[in-house]
Amino acid sequence: LQHFVAENPLLQDLEQFAYSASHDLQEPLRVITSYSQLLVKGYGGQLDDEAQLCVKFITESTQRMRDLLADLLAYTQVSEDDGTDPTELVDINRIFLKAVDNLKASIDESQAVVTADALPTLPGYEPHFVQLLQNLMGNSIKYHGARTPRVHVSAEKCNGVWRLAVADNGIGIAPEYHQTIFGVFKRLHGKLIPGTGIGLAICQRVVDRYGGRIWVDSE
């Protein structure tokens, strides 16, 4: 993917547009959210039910757009030249703890049990590994079904290559979606479960950047 993008000016332009749009649109969305909240605080007692419902839809929609733009920005930044040493060693155990800390609210809300084996130290860029583990673990918690979610991160060295896995007891993914879920904006549950549809695309891009591959095994 990286070589193809470098040789394709159109894709470079599209990436630059996505970066600019996701960055520059954050501010007007913040303004819309702020003034909607001020409207409710200042005139809450004078607004009828329909007006309050309209303000609620505005607030929820702008927040969803902000989340979408933030994920789109993260997606474009994975391929950027970060100016960092590609041989930097990253302790994946520390990455796991950071991901757990970032997901604390959803872990507490769902009472998820999150565990990990001893994980390796790998060359790379720390924020990329945080994005990777946090998105995968976050999905495991989000799509947990009726049972208390259990998420386990493991690592195994096979033929000189590290294989990292995030396993869970969630609702699973049907076989026909095992490839398509890694595309941008690919969501299987519509608005039933919150999300932007970019998380797994970010994971795919991170893994591609380091010459690896990502896949799903599921019932």
Side-chain angles (χ1 to χ4, degrees):
L1 176 61
Q2 297 304 318
H3 293 300
F4 180 55
V5 169
E7 296 169 3
N8 192 318
L10 177 58
L11 287 182
Q12 286 181 318
D13 289 344
L14 287 173
E15 283 199 355
Q16 184 58 45
F17 170 77
Y19 176 86
S20 298
S22 58
H23 184 271
D24 296 341
L25 288 176
Q26 289 284 357
E27 183 56 32
L29 284 171
R30 275 193 290 268
V31 172
I32 294 172
T33 301
S34 297
Y35 277 92
S36 298
Q37 293 171 347
L38 287 173
L39 187 64
V40 172
K41 290 179 181 179
Y43 301 93
Q46 304 174 39
L47 298 176
D48 59 21
D49 290 345
E50 185 176 357
Q52 291 188 27
L53 185 62
C54 289
V55 173
K56 177 176 179 290
F57 285 152
I58 291 172
T59 304
E60 290 178 351
S61 296
T62 51
Q63 183 58 53
R64 171 162 166 71
M65 182 61 75
R66 288 176 66 182
D67 293 342
L68 189 63
L69 291 172
D71 280 353
L72 186 59
L73 183 61
Y75 178 78
T76 61
Q77 287 177 329
V78 171
S79 65
E80 289 186 340
D81 181 4
D82 306 292
T84 56
D85 184 353
T87 61
E88 172 190 357
L89 294 179
V90 180
D91 183 357
I92 307 302
N93 297 286
R94 186 174 73 248
I95 299 301
F96 169 76
L97 294 177
K98 282 192 175 185
V100 168
D101 189 54
N102 292 342
L103 294 167
K104 185 177 187 305
S106 58
I107 290 174
D108 290 346
E109 182 181 353
S110 63
Q111 299 183 321
V113 178
V114 183
T115 57
D117 293 340
L119 302 173
T121 295
L122 300 174
Y125 183 41
E126 184 169 301
H128 290 166
F129 288 113
V130 173
Q131 287 177 317
L132 180 62
L133 271 192
Q134 185 174 320
N135 274 305
L136 293 175
M137 292 164 58
N139 275 4
S140 291
I141 296 168
K142 185 189 301 183
Y143 300 100
H144 61 77
R147 294 180 293 179
T148 298
R150 294 184 175 274
V151 184
H152 184 70
V153 181
S154 61
E156 179 184 10
K157 199 166 189 177
C158 307
N159 299 320
V161 176
W162 281 103
R163 173 178 172 176
L164 275 69
V166 178
D168 62 62
N169 64 340
I171 61 177
I173 302 170
E176 60 266 31
Y177 299 116
H178 285 188
Q179 294 300 319
T180 59
I181 57 171
F182 295 103
V184 179
F185 304 127
K186 297 297 183 182
R187 302 186 62 203
L188 304 185
H189 301 278
K191 296 181 180 180
L192 295 177
I193 299 178
T196 61
I198 301 180
L200 287 179
I202 292 174
C203 294
Q204 174 81 69
R205 199 156 199 185
V206 169
V207 172
D208 283 346
R209 174 171 179 149
Y210 294 102
R213 64 187 185 95
I214 185 170
W215 68 96
V216 57
D217 293 322
S218 180
E219 298 176 1

